Each structure stands twice: as structure tokens, then as C-alpha cells.
């Protein structure tokens, strides 16, 4: 609702042209976090959901985590790019603390070193929205709301976080096939993605062993944290049984 209102207000401002955001194939993806509750191993658990949306085809990807730490952020990008089959030329973000250390004038940003290492590993350009300008990544913000009213509605219980993420992966793939593109209505999101967004090739980092090693170590810590949490929830479930 806020995104739609912001666009309407921008159109009504005198002396200012409103230019709708349009994207070329393989040009960009948008990213955002949300919080949602899911039952895991019988326990209602607050999760941080990473949302990705390809800006041209509108194909989307979700993955659940316990926190919004760097390790979880890096792991989310790894799985999203694998699901999409490649990496767009740029990613559009808000000014989240794991990406931006300091917001300057206009588009000036002091980018977090660890986030910069991830971007260097995947070789795409990050772009950050202006403060309080969520419509600049309105596609993914709308996707968060759509998921809350659709994908997360009457969600089943899961035995583990891994089982939930597999379910999310399968549901995203199914919805790509079932959902028509909002502009090319005779094609599904999956058809648009296969014809366009997968034209970008998966790229490997050429920025040096230090960045690649740092990135791999972060993903390794993420895996260890998730395994530790799974053991803790299993133990808690046994105690409550």
C-alpha cells in the first residue's frame, strides 16, 4: 500500500516527471528481508526470509534463516543465483547494515568490506536505494507482501529449517510455472526467465584468493550455525515431549 501511494504521490508532484522503472533482460535483481513465523519441529519460530526478484522476468526466490547476519546473507545469494541459473549485472538493495557502513550524499555509500567481498566474488554491481525511497525496489517489496498473503498463508509445519527451505524452493519453482508475467500475460514467469534472465552466465570471481577464501569461510560458518541450531531445536523438542 505504501509503495503504491508513493508512486501516486510522485505522479502528482508539479514540475517533476515520473519515470516508471523498466529493466532489460538480465539487467538486475532486487533484494529484501522480511520476518515471518513458521512451526519447525513443533515450535513456532521467528525467521528472517531473504527475498530475491529478477526485475525483468519477475521470477522470485525465498530462503529462510535465523538471523540477517553476513553469513546468512552470503548463503542466500549463493542459493538464489543457483536457482536463477546465473547472475544479473546489478543488484538493488536498501541501505541495510550488512551492506552499507555509512550513507553519504545522493548515491554515495561506504560499502561494508564483507559485502564488497561477496559482490567481488560474483562480479555484479550493487546499487542502493535513496533513504526512505522503497519504491526504487518496489518489485521485491510487493513480493514480500504477496508472500505474506499467499505463500505463508496456512503454511504446514516442518521438521527442520532444511525441510522448510526445500519446500520454499519447490514452491517458488511451481509458482514460476503457474504465474503469468504482469505485462507479457501470455507467458509464465518461468518462460520469461528461461528466455531472458538465464542469458547471463554464471561467473566466477577473478578478484583474488583472499576475497574468495573470505567468502567461502563465511558460508562455512553459516552452515555450522544452522547445524548447531538444528541440534538445539531437536533437543528442545525431545525435552518438551
Amino acid at each position: 500500500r505504501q509503495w503504491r501511494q508513493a508512486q501516486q504521490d510522485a505522479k502528482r508532484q508539479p514540475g517533476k516527471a515520473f519515470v516508471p522503472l523498466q529493466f532489460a533482460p538480465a539487467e538486475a535483481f532486487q533484494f529484501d528481508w522480511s520476518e515471518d513465523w513458521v512451526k519447525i519441529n513443533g515450535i513456532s519460530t521467528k525467521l528472517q526470509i531473504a527475498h530475491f526478484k529478477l526485475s525483468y522476468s519477475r521470477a522470485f526466490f525465498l530462503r529462510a534463516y535465523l538471523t540477517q547476519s553476513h553469513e546468512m546473507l552470503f548463503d542466500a545469494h549463493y542459493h538464489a543465483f543457483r536457482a536463477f541459473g546465473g547472475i544479473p549485472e546489478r543488484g538493488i538493495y536498501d541501505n541495510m547494515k550488512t551492506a552499507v557502513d555509512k550513507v553519504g550524499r545522493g548515491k554515495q555509500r561506504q560499502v561494508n568490506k564483507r559485502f564488497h567481498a561477496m559482490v567481488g566474488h560474483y562480479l555484479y554491481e550493487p546499487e542502493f536505494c535513496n533513504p526512505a525511497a522503497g519504491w526504487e525496489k518496489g518489485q521485491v517489496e510487493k513480493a514480500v507482501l504477496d508472500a505474506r498473503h499467499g505463500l505463508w498463508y496456512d503454511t504446514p509445519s516442518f521438521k527442520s529449517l532444511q525441510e522448510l527451505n526445500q519446500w520454499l524452493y519447490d514452491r517458488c519453482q511451481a509458482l514460476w510455472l503457474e504465474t503469468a508475467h504482469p505485462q507479457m500475460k501470455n507467458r509464465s514467469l518461468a518462460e520469461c526467465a528461461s528466455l531472458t534472465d538465464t542469458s547471463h552466465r554464471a561467473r566466477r570471481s577473478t578478484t583474488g584468493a583472499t576475497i574468495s577464501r573470505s567468502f567461502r569461510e563465511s558460508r562455512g560458518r553459516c552452515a555450522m550455525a544452522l547445524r548447531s541450531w538444528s541440534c538445539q531445536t531437536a533437543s528442545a523438542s525431545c525435552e518438551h515431549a
Side-chain angles (χ1 to χ4, degrees):
R1 189 184 300 114
Q2 292 177 347
W3 174 70
R4 287 195 295 269
Q5 185 62 47
Q7 291 191 90
Q8 291 171 3
D9 292 344
K11 290 178 182 178
R12 288 194 290 266
Q13 288 183 11
K16 288 189 177 181
F18 178 78
V19 181
L21 294 176
Q22 297 182 349
F23 300 90
E27 178 186 352
F29 70 91
Q30 300 179 14
F31 174 85
D32 205 0
W33 287 104
S34 72
E35 287 188 353
D36 288 282
W37 290 83
V38 178
K39 275 195 173 181
I40 296 181
N41 214 10
I43 300 172
S44 186
T45 307
K46 183 170 74 171
L47 297 174
Q48 310 299 315
I49 312 300
H51 294 256
F52 295 80
K53 191 152 191 172
L54 293 175
S55 299
Y56 181 83
S57 71
R58 312 297 174 88
F60 52 88
F61 179 80
L62 284 74
R63 192 167 176 87
Y65 296 93
L66 303 174
T67 70
Q68 296 183 15
S69 68
H70 279 110
E71 287 75 18
M72 310 305 168
L73 178 69
F74 299 163
D75 188 75
H77 281 73
Y78 169 79
H79 286 283
F81 294 151
R82 288 192 66 186
F84 292 145
I87 306 166
E89 296 175 2
R90 60 191 177 101
I92 303 172
Y93 302 86
D94 59 19
N95 298 285
M96 55 188 184
K97 293 181 179 179
T98 47
V100 176
D101 289 337
K102 185 178 180 179
V103 178
R105 289 185 178 182
K107 290 292 185 180
Q108 293 181 353
R109 299 292 186 274
Q110 183 178 325
V111 179
N112 179 273
K113 289 182 179 180
R114 297 183 70 189
F115 182 82
H116 180 71
M118 181 196 71
V119 170
H121 179 86
Y122 286 121
L123 299 178
Y124 69 90
E125 292 294 327
E127 181 177 307
F128 301 101
C129 298
N130 289 306
W135 63 85
E136 294 181 358
K137 57 179 181 64
Q139 290 181 357
V140 74
E141 294 217 349
K142 183 178 183 301
V144 169
L145 297 176
D146 290 345
R148 194 158 286 161
H149 297 296
L151 191 67
W152 294 115
Y153 182 76
D154 198 25
T155 305
S157 180
F158 300 93
K159 294 180 181 178
S160 66
L161 192 61
Q162 290 80 1
E163 183 180 333
L164 165 61
N165 279 323
Q166 183 60 51
W167 180 83
L168 285 172
Y169 177 88
D170 294 339
R171 285 297 295 143
C172 287
Q173 296 284 327
L175 288 169
W176 293 3
L177 294 169
E178 298 170 9
T179 307
H181 191 280
Q183 295 172 338
M184 296 175 281
K185 297 184 183 297
N186 61 328
R187 289 179 175 172
S188 68
L189 303 186
E191 289 175 310
C192 293
S194 65
L195 291 172
T196 59
D197 287 316
T198 53
S199 64
H200 54 231
R201 297 180 180 179
R203 292 164 288 181
R204 298 186 64 182
S205 174
T206 58
T207 54
T210 302
I211 286 179
S212 296
R213 182 168 59 251
S214 172
F215 178 73
R216 288 196 300 269
E217 289 172 354
S218 293
R219 286 203 61 244
R221 286 193 293 272
C222 172
M224 290 176 63
L226 293 177
R227 283 196 298 269
S228 175
W229 180 82
S230 297
C231 292
Q232 291 173 12
T233 50
S235 176
S237 178
C238 291
E239 291 175 1
H240 285 99

